[in-house]
Amino acid sequence: MKRLVARLWRIIRGPMQWRILWLAHSKFMAGITGIVKDDAGRVLLLRHRMWPSGRQWGLPTGYARAGEDFGQTVVREVREETGLEVKSGRLVQLTSGYKLRIEVAYEAQLVGGELKIDSFEILEARWFSPDDLPDGIQESHRLLIQGDTTS
């Protein structure tokens, strides 16, 4: 039976194989998070309009576009949400996350720009010491800031 399946698989090469694989496997969105720090070591947090009341503080986040490098997603999302320019750095998390979402987080360094928030998505943007984070921060983001990506 295994030989027959392998032989059939080789016969249907190309687009048909991809269609079968697509149907047989999970489809994921890529949720990208940036841990943005300034020269003083403070971290950029945003109060997100669309997030649940009481848990609106968090890191800049967004979804990758098809074919987009995840590090560049951080750069784009921070620029869109805050007007700030960052350089993405080290990958700190890559896991399958909530439901059908891949969770990706990068460190990022502020390199310029002027703070101007996208008021549709963001209510407020502020710099915080990693030791003095606000109430209402997403717990997963607190762990990323503290460097604990094992949870």
mmCIF file of all heavy atoms in Angstrom, residues 115-142:
data_model
loop_
_atom_site.group_PDB
_atom_site.id
_atom_site.type_symbol
_atom_site.label_atom_id
_atom_site.label_comp_id
_atom_site.label_asym_id
_atom_site.label_seq_id
_atom_site.Cartn_x
_atom_site.Cartn_y
_atom_site.Cartn_z
ATOM 1 N N LEU A 115 6.675 60.507 16.626
ATOM 2 C CA LEU A 115 5.516 59.789 17.126
ATOM 3 C C LEU A 115 4.224 60.455 16.664
ATOM 4 O O LEU A 115 3.942 61.611 16.982
ATOM 5 C CB LEU A 115 5.542 59.715 18.651
ATOM 6 C CG LEU A 115 4.447 58.872 19.296
ATOM 7 C CD1 LEU A 115 4.542 57.416 18.841
ATOM 8 C CD2 LEU A 115 4.550 58.951 20.804
ATOM 9 N N LYS A 116 3.468 59.716 15.858
ATOM 10 C CA LYS A 116 2.160 60.167 15.382
ATOM 11 C C LYS A 116 1.305 58.913 15.247
ATOM 12 O O LYS A 116 1.455 58.153 14.282
ATOM 13 C CB LYS A 116 2.270 60.890 14.047
ATOM 14 C CG LYS A 116 0.937 61.417 13.568
ATOM 15 C CD LYS A 116 1.055 62.191 12.278
ATOM 16 C CE LYS A 116 -0.350 62.654 11.910
ATOM 17 N NZ LYS A 116 -0.415 63.247 10.604
ATOM 18 N N ILE A 117 0.423 58.694 16.223
ATOM 19 C CA ILE A 117 -0.320 57.436 16.261
ATOM 20 C C ILE A 117 -1.438 57.393 15.226
ATOM 21 O O ILE A 117 -1.989 58.416 14.840
ATOM 22 C CB ILE A 117 -0.890 57.146 17.670
ATOM 23 C CG1 ILE A 117 -1.883 58.223 18.095
ATOM 24 C CG2 ILE A 117 0.217 56.969 18.676
ATOM 25 C CD1 ILE A 117 -2.649 57.875 19.361
ATOM 26 N N ASP A 118 -1.741 56.174 14.797
ATOM 27 C CA ASP A 118 -2.883 55.905 13.939
ATOM 28 C C ASP A 118 -4.093 55.810 14.863
ATOM 29 O O ASP A 118 -4.304 54.799 15.523
ATOM 30 C CB ASP A 118 -2.670 54.594 13.186
ATOM 31 C CG ASP A 118 -3.912 54.105 12.451
ATOM 32 O OD1 ASP A 118 -4.926 54.843 12.414
ATOM 33 O OD2 ASP A 118 -3.874 52.989 11.914
ATOM 34 N N SER A 119 -4.890 56.862 14.950
ATOM 35 C CA SER A 119 -5.971 56.931 15.933
ATOM 36 C C SER A 119 -7.109 55.956 15.646
ATOM 37 O O SER A 119 -7.974 55.755 16.490
ATOM 38 C CB SER A 119 -6.509 58.354 16.034
ATOM 39 O OG SER A 119 -7.033 58.770 14.792
ATOM 40 N N PHE A 120 -7.122 55.330 14.480
ATOM 41 C CA PHE A 120 -8.136 54.314 14.213
ATOM 42 C C PHE A 120 -7.863 53.069 15.048
ATOM 43 O O PHE A 120 -8.771 52.485 15.629
ATOM 44 C CB PHE A 120 -8.168 53.946 12.719
ATOM 45 C CG PHE A 120 -9.189 52.888 12.402
ATOM 46 C CD1 PHE A 120 -10.540 53.209 12.353
ATOM 47 C CD2 PHE A 120 -8.811 51.584 12.160
ATOM 48 C CE1 PHE A 120 -11.493 52.227 12.082
ATOM 49 C CE2 PHE A 120 -9.742 50.599 11.884
ATOM 50 C CZ PHE A 120 -11.094 50.932 11.844
ATOM 51 N N GLU A 121 -6.599 52.662 15.128
ATOM 52 C CA GLU A 121 -6.222 51.444 15.850
ATOM 53 C C GLU A 121 -5.671 51.705 17.240
ATOM 54 O O GLU A 121 -5.811 50.880 18.130
ATOM 55 C CB GLU A 121 -5.147 50.673 15.070
ATOM 56 C CG GLU A 121 -5.606 50.034 13.804
ATOM 57 C CD GLU A 121 -4.509 49.166 13.200
ATOM 58 O OE1 GLU A 121 -4.047 48.232 13.883
ATOM 59 O OE2 GLU A 121 -4.115 49.440 12.059
ATOM 60 N N ILE A 122 -5.009 52.851 17.418
ATOM 61 C CA ILE A 122 -4.220 53.096 18.623
ATOM 62 C C ILE A 122 -4.781 54.294 19.389
ATOM 63 O O ILE A 122 -4.991 55.363 18.815
ATOM 64 C CB ILE A 122 -2.738 53.356 18.262
ATOM 65 C CG1 ILE A 122 -2.186 52.215 17.384
ATOM 66 C CG2 ILE A 122 -1.893 53.564 19.511
ATOM 67 C CD1 ILE A 122 -2.258 50.835 18.005
ATOM 68 N N LEU A 123 -4.980 54.112 20.689
ATOM 69 C CA LEU A 123 -5.464 55.194 21.540
ATOM 70 C C LEU A 123 -4.317 56.024 22.117
ATOM 71 O O LEU A 123 -4.463 57.224 22.322
ATOM 72 C CB LEU A 123 -6.293 54.624 22.697
ATOM 73 C CG LEU A 123 -7.589 53.925 22.298
ATOM 74 C CD1 LEU A 123 -8.152 53.129 23.460
ATOM 75 C CD2 LEU A 123 -8.588 54.963 21.814
ATOM 76 N N GLU A 124 -3.195 55.360 22.370
ATOM 77 C CA GLU A 124 -2.076 56.026 23.043
ATOM 78 C C GLU A 124 -0.804 55.226 22.810
ATOM 79 O O GLU A 124 -0.850 54.002 22.675
ATOM 80 C CB GLU A 124 -2.406 56.083 24.546
ATOM 81 C CG GLU A 124 -1.445 56.777 25.427
ATOM 82 C CD GLU A 124 -1.901 56.784 26.890
ATOM 83 O OE1 GLU A 124 -2.987 56.242 27.220
ATOM 84 O OE2 GLU A 124 -1.145 57.329 27.705
ATOM 85 N N ALA A 125 0.324 55.915 22.770
ATOM 86 C CA ALA A 125 1.631 55.265 22.666
ATOM 87 C C ALA A 125 2.547 55.912 23.698
ATOM 88 O O ALA A 125 2.609 57.139 23.787
ATOM 89 C CB ALA A 125 2.209 55.435 21.265
ATOM 90 N N ARG A 126 3.239 55.072 24.471
ATOM 91 C CA ARG A 126 4.149 55.586 25.499
ATOM 92 C C ARG A 126 5.336 54.654 25.661
ATOM 93 O O ARG A 126 5.256 53.466 25.372
ATOM 94 C CB ARG A 126 3.423 55.708 26.845
ATOM 95 C CG ARG A 126 2.400 56.815 26.847
ATOM 96 C CD ARG A 126 1.668 57.017 28.165
ATOM 97 N NE ARG A 126 2.422 56.770 29.352
ATOM 98 C CZ ARG A 126 1.872 56.429 30.515
ATOM 99 N NH1 ARG A 126 0.557 56.296 30.624
ATOM 100 N NH2 ARG A 126 2.615 56.223 31.573
ATOM 101 N N TRP A 127 6.425 55.234 26.147
ATOM 102 C CA TRP A 127 7.633 54.473 26.455
ATOM 103 C C TRP A 127 7.608 54.115 27.933
ATOM 104 O O TRP A 127 7.324 54.958 28.779
ATOM 105 C CB TRP A 127 8.877 55.283 26.129
ATOM 106 C CG TRP A 127 9.018 55.550 24.668
ATOM 107 C CD1 TRP A 127 8.610 56.656 23.992
ATOM 108 C CD2 TRP A 127 9.601 54.683 23.705
ATOM 109 N NE1 TRP A 127 8.894 56.533 22.655
ATOM 110 C CE2 TRP A 127 9.516 55.329 22.453
ATOM 111 C CE3 TRP A 127 10.190 53.418 23.761
ATOM 112 C CZ2 TRP A 127 9.987 54.763 21.285
ATOM 113 C CZ3 TRP A 127 10.663 52.851 22.602
ATOM 114 C CH2 TRP A 127 10.569 53.517 21.379
ATOM 115 N N PHE A 128 7.944 52.847 28.251
ATOM 116 C CA PHE A 128 7.940 52.372 29.627
ATOM 117 C C PHE A 128 9.253 51.665 29.937
ATOM 118 O O PHE A 128 9.823 50.989 29.072
ATOM 119 C CB PHE A 128 6.812 51.355 29.849
ATOM 120 C CG PHE A 128 5.435 51.942 29.820
ATOM 121 C CD1 PHE A 128 4.746 52.045 28.617
ATOM 122 C CD2 PHE A 128 4.831 52.381 30.986
ATOM 123 C CE1 PHE A 128 3.466 52.575 28.578
ATOM 124 C CE2 PHE A 128 3.544 52.908 30.951
ATOM 125 C CZ PHE A 128 2.870 53.015 29.755
ATOM 126 N N SER A 129 9.677 51.777 31.183
ATOM 127 C CA SER A 129 10.780 50.961 31.658
ATOM 128 C C SER A 129 10.288 49.518 31.728
ATOM 129 O O SER A 129 9.151 49.279 32.160
ATOM 130 C CB SER A 129 11.207 51.421 33.055
ATOM 131 O OG SER A 129 12.019 50.432 33.653
ATOM 132 N N PRO A 130 11.105 48.552 31.328
ATOM 133 C CA PRO A 130 10.671 47.151 31.420
ATOM 134 C C PRO A 130 10.317 46.730 32.848
ATOM 135 O O PRO A 130 9.595 45.763 33.048
ATOM 136 C CB PRO A 130 11.874 46.362 30.902
ATOM 137 C CG PRO A 130 12.595 47.320 30.016
ATOM 138 C CD PRO A 130 12.397 48.676 30.650
ATOM 139 N N ASP A 131 10.825 47.473 33.843
ATOM 140 C CA ASP A 131 10.534 47.167 35.246
ATOM 141 C C ASP A 131 9.288 47.874 35.757
ATOM 142 O O ASP A 131 8.895 47.676 36.910
ATOM 143 C CB ASP A 131 11.726 47.559 36.125
ATOM 144 C CG ASP A 131 12.982 46.790 35.761
ATOM 145 O OD1 ASP A 131 12.867 45.596 35.397
ATOM 146 O OD2 ASP A 131 14.069 47.383 35.833
ATOM 147 N N ASP A 132 8.669 48.725 34.947
ATOM 148 C CA ASP A 132 7.521 49.516 35.386
ATOM 149 C C ASP A 132 6.460 49.545 34.275
ATOM 150 O O ASP A 132 6.152 50.595 33.723
ATOM 151 C CB ASP A 132 7.980 50.931 35.754
ATOM 152 C CG ASP A 132 6.885 51.731 36.437
ATOM 153 O OD1 ASP A 132 5.980 51.127 37.037
ATOM 154 O OD2 ASP A 132 6.930 52.978 36.346
ATOM 155 N N LEU A 133 5.905 48.384 33.976
ATOM 156 C CA LEU A 133 4.913 48.261 32.904
ATOM 157 C C LEU A 133 3.528 48.611 33.437
ATOM 158 O O LEU A 133 3.248 48.419 34.619
ATOM 159 C CB LEU A 133 4.941 46.847 32.330
ATOM 160 C CG LEU A 133 6.289 46.414 31.751
ATOM 161 C CD1 LEU A 133 6.243 44.948 31.333
ATOM 162 C CD2 LEU A 133 6.684 47.301 30.592
ATOM 163 N N PRO A 134 2.651 49.104 32.590
ATOM 164 C CA PRO A 134 1.335 49.536 33.060
ATOM 165 C C PRO A 134 0.404 48.376 33.381
ATOM 166 O O PRO A 134 0.575 47.265 32.872
ATOM 167 C CB PRO A 134 0.789 50.329 31.867
ATOM 168 C CG PRO A 134 1.407 49.666 30.687
ATOM 169 C CD PRO A 134 2.792 49.287 31.142
ATOM 170 N N ASP A 135 -0.580 48.655 34.225
ATOM 171 C CA ASP A 135 -1.661 47.690 34.426
ATOM 172 C C ASP A 135 -2.384 47.542 33.093
ATOM 173 O O ASP A 135 -2.448 48.480 32.307
ATOM 174 C CB ASP A 135 -2.642 48.199 35.484
ATOM 175 C CG ASP A 135 -2.022 48.226 36.874
ATOM 176 O OD1 ASP A 135 -1.087 47.445 37.130
ATOM 177 O OD2 ASP A 135 -2.489 49.044 37.691
ATOM 178 N N GLY A 136 -2.931 46.381 32.847
ATOM 179 C CA GLY A 136 -3.690 46.176 31.625
ATOM 180 C C GLY A 136 -2.845 45.769 30.436
ATOM 181 O O GLY A 136 -3.319 45.789 29.309
ATOM 182 N N ILE A 137 -1.593 45.371 30.685
ATOM 183 C CA ILE A 137 -0.758 44.887 29.585
ATOM 184 C C ILE A 137 -1.061 43.405 29.352
ATOM 185 O O ILE A 137 -1.310 42.652 30.307
ATOM 186 C CB ILE A 137 0.747 45.106 29.862
ATOM 187 C CG1 ILE A 137 1.572 44.721 28.631
ATOM 188 C CG2 ILE A 137 1.199 44.368 31.092
ATOM 189 C CD1 ILE A 137 3.041 45.073 28.733
ATOM 190 N N GLN A 138 -1.084 43.002 28.102
ATOM 191 C CA GLN A 138 -1.273 41.592 27.768
ATOM 192 C C GLN A 138 -0.165 40.771 28.445
ATOM 193 O O GLN A 138 1.018 41.115 28.357
ATOM 194 C CB GLN A 138 -1.191 41.399 26.251
ATOM 195 C CG GLN A 138 -2.300 42.068 25.489
ATOM 196 C CD GLN A 138 -3.605 41.311 25.612
ATOM 197 O OE1 GLN A 138 -3.634 40.085 25.661
ATOM 198 N NE2 GLN A 138 -4.694 42.044 25.677
ATOM 199 N N GLU A 139 -0.541 39.692 29.116
ATOM 200 C CA GLU A 139 0.440 38.886 29.841
ATOM 201 C C GLU A 139 1.500 38.301 28.901
ATOM 202 O O GLU A 139 2.678 38.260 29.236
ATOM 203 C CB GLU A 139 -0.245 37.767 30.627
ATOM 204 C CG GLU A 139 0.697 36.964 31.509
ATOM 205 C CD GLU A 139 1.422 37.797 32.576
ATOM 206 O OE1 GLU A 139 0.945 38.884 32.956
ATOM 207 O OE2 GLU A 139 2.504 37.346 33.023
ATOM 208 N N SER A 140 1.096 37.878 27.718
ATOM 209 C CA SER A 140 2.076 37.328 26.767
ATOM 210 C C SER A 140 3.098 38.396 26.369
ATOM 211 O O SER A 140 4.269 38.089 26.152
ATOM 212 C CB SER A 140 1.377 36.760 25.532
ATOM 213 O OG SER A 140 0.647 37.772 24.862
ATOM 214 N N HIS A 141 2.673 39.644 26.307
ATOM 215 C CA HIS A 141 3.596 40.728 25.956
ATOM 216 C C HIS A 141 4.509 41.058 27.131
ATOM 217 O O HIS A 141 5.685 41.357 26.942
ATOM 218 C CB HIS A 141 2.817 41.956 25.490
ATOM 219 C CG HIS A 141 2.186 41.744 24.155
ATOM 220 N ND1 HIS A 141 1.679 42.776 23.402
ATOM 221 C CD2 HIS A 141 1.976 40.629 23.417
ATOM 222 C CE1 HIS A 141 1.186 42.297 22.268
ATOM 223 N NE2 HIS A 141 1.351 40.990 22.273
ATOM 224 N N ARG A 142 3.986 40.984 28.360
ATOM 225 C CA ARG A 142 4.837 41.175 29.541
ATOM 226 C C ARG A 142 5.963 40.138 29.539
ATOM 227 O O ARG A 142 7.125 40.459 29.778
ATOM 228 C CB ARG A 142 4.009 41.054 30.822
ATOM 229 C CG ARG A 142 4.837 41.217 32.115
ATOM 230 C CD ARG A 142 4.017 40.975 33.368
ATOM 231 N NE ARG A 142 2.827 41.794 33.443
ATOM 232 C CZ ARG A 142 2.798 43.067 33.817
ATOM 233 N NH1 ARG A 142 3.923 43.675 34.146
ATOM 234 N NH2 ARG A 142 1.660 43.720 33.868
#
